[in-house]
Amino acid sequence: VFDEREVELLREVFASGTLSSLNGRFTSRFERAFADALGARFAVAMNSAMSVLHSSVMAAGAGAGDEVICDPVCVFGAVAIMYNNAVPVFVDIDPVTMNMDPDLIEDRITERTKAIIVTHVWGLPAKMDRIVDLARRHGLTVIEDCAHALFAKYKGRYVGTWGDVGSFSFQMSKQMGLGDGGMAVTDDEEMARKLALNAGAPTFHSVAYGLHWNYRMTEQTAAIGLVQLERAKGYVEELKEIASLYDEAVRGCPWIVLQRDEDAEHTYHFWAATFRGEEFGISLEEFRRALEEVGCSLSIGYTGMPAYKHPLISERMGYGRGCPLDCPHYKGSHNRYPDGLCPVAEDLIPRMLLVYTFSPKEFHLKNAEKLNEVVRRF
């Protein structure tokens, strides 16, 4: 919803004559409001969540010759790692939550590991208490990718505030859409300072501290963000209501496994489940055809592949001269990504069932009925 409230603040931005956050006042207001909403000490606004992730990898001190752990479902953590010439190391996922499996992380840590990027996939929080505890024991920075998970909670605490940095997306498809934009939150003052160098660079001040990027947010985006932040919790509650329609549609169906964790509060950027029909004599192709026959809008298989099978990584693209995946400074062995590297992800991704929740409830009422019709057919 965008209305006169956003227009009123935009008029104030234009009247100020300052559209840049370098000399403006709306971006700092938005940062403070967002930090307060999450219960964090600091927030740093940027032009995208990818900028936040890249800046977080940089602030963690990961670069040439280093490794950063990430998950194999969403490729964006790996991309952010490669932006800073480090090597992504993939950890397999839990078959129900679809998030990084904490039991598998320690075996992937080496003397080159600098950080862990944890994605809260589809809006369901990962097991942050266990991941943070492990990271602290090994001296690693924890970066939470909360692009899907605005106001999601794990054990009563907002995601983004468990680790060292939380990264939030305001791209238009997300729970709080500003066109584009991103926000970092942190309780660490030094981390906030490092991140802020990328939110204002290049300036004479920032280059005194090294090489940084110009990822700052505009004043007009921040002004829209101030109003949208007031509405965002209402949006999330609507998404939960929509997701409950699909939960009800598959209730009692043993071959559709919901993405859930009893310790977590899901905020449903997507409603997600896993198809296990083969165990009950139902093929995925039969299920797909039945959905098409009734006109049910449900995506099957996401990208169809784990992150390390995307051409960027499988074809070892990058900056040239081998970087980042074959950077001459890298002396490890985790820069190879064979079949079977993450067997759970490889099995689960092609059978992921996804519904994008951010559309009118009237559509989802009918769509959930169609899904229920297919379930009852089988």
Side-chain angles (χ1 to χ4, degrees), residues 314-334:
S314 65
E315 297 178 19
R316 312 186 78 75
M317 300 176 188
Y319 296 120
R321 301 195 180 193
C323 295
L325 296 181
D326 298 303
C327 175
H329 294 286
Y330 181 66
K331 306 303 180 185
S333 59
H334 284 168

Side-chain angles (χ1 to χ4, degrees), residues 171-294:
Q171 192 272 338
M172 202 60 215
S173 70
K174 300 304 191 296
Q175 290 147 331
M176 189 171 127
L178 309 182
D180 275 303
M183 188 77 78
V185 298
T186 182
D187 287 337
D188 186 317
E189 187 171 6
E190 179 62 14
M191 179 64 74
R193 185 192 70 80
K194 290 179 179 178
L195 292 166
L197 289 170
N198 277 2
T203 67
F204 292 115
H205 167 72
S206 67
V207 296
Y209 294 95
L211 181 64
H212 295 90
W213 285 259
N214 180 359
Y215 287 155
R216 59 181 173 261
M217 180 179 282
T218 67
E219 285 284 275
Q220 51 270 40
T221 299
I224 297 170
L226 281 165
V227 180
Q228 288 297 302
L229 182 59
E230 296 173 2
R231 296 172 169 155
K233 286 185 177 179
Y235 297 156
V236 168
E237 289 306 310
E238 289 183 44
L239 300 185
K240 292 178 182 178
E241 291 176 12
I242 286 168
S244 71
L245 299 176
Y246 294 97
D247 287 353
E248 187 61 32
V250 301
R251 187 179 303 279
C253 178
W255 43 271
I256 292 181
V257 180
L258 297 177
Q259 184 209 25
R260 291 291 188 277
D261 185 337
E262 62 182 14
D263 291 324
E265 184 178 325
H266 205 315
T267 55
Y268 300 102
H269 177 52
F270 280 82
W271 176 85
T274 305
F275 177 83
R276 293 295 180 191
E278 292 91 346
E279 299 168 20
F280 296 83
I282 306 163
S283 74
L284 185 58
E285 187 54 37
E286 287 176 312
F287 180 63
R288 191 192 308 272
R289 284 200 304 268
L291 292 171
E292 291 174 354
E293 286 171 10
V294 301

Side-chain angles (χ1 to χ4, degrees), residues 66-102:
D66 296 322
E67 298 171 344
V68 177
I69 288 170
C70 60
D71 76 272
V73 176
C74 300
V75 74
F76 307 110
V79 172
I81 295 162
M82 292 170 68
Y83 279 171
N84 222 48
N85 205 34
V87 171
V89 175
F90 295 94
V91 168
D92 209 351
I93 59 175
D94 178 271
V96 175
T97 69
M98 307 182 187
N99 286 319
M100 185 182 292
D101 188 338

Side-chain angles (χ1 to χ4, degrees), residues 19-31:
L19 305 187
S20 170
S21 59
L22 288 178
N23 300 304
R25 58 189 179 87
F26 284 90
T27 304
S28 59
R29 279 177 57 188
F30 183 32
E31 288 171 333

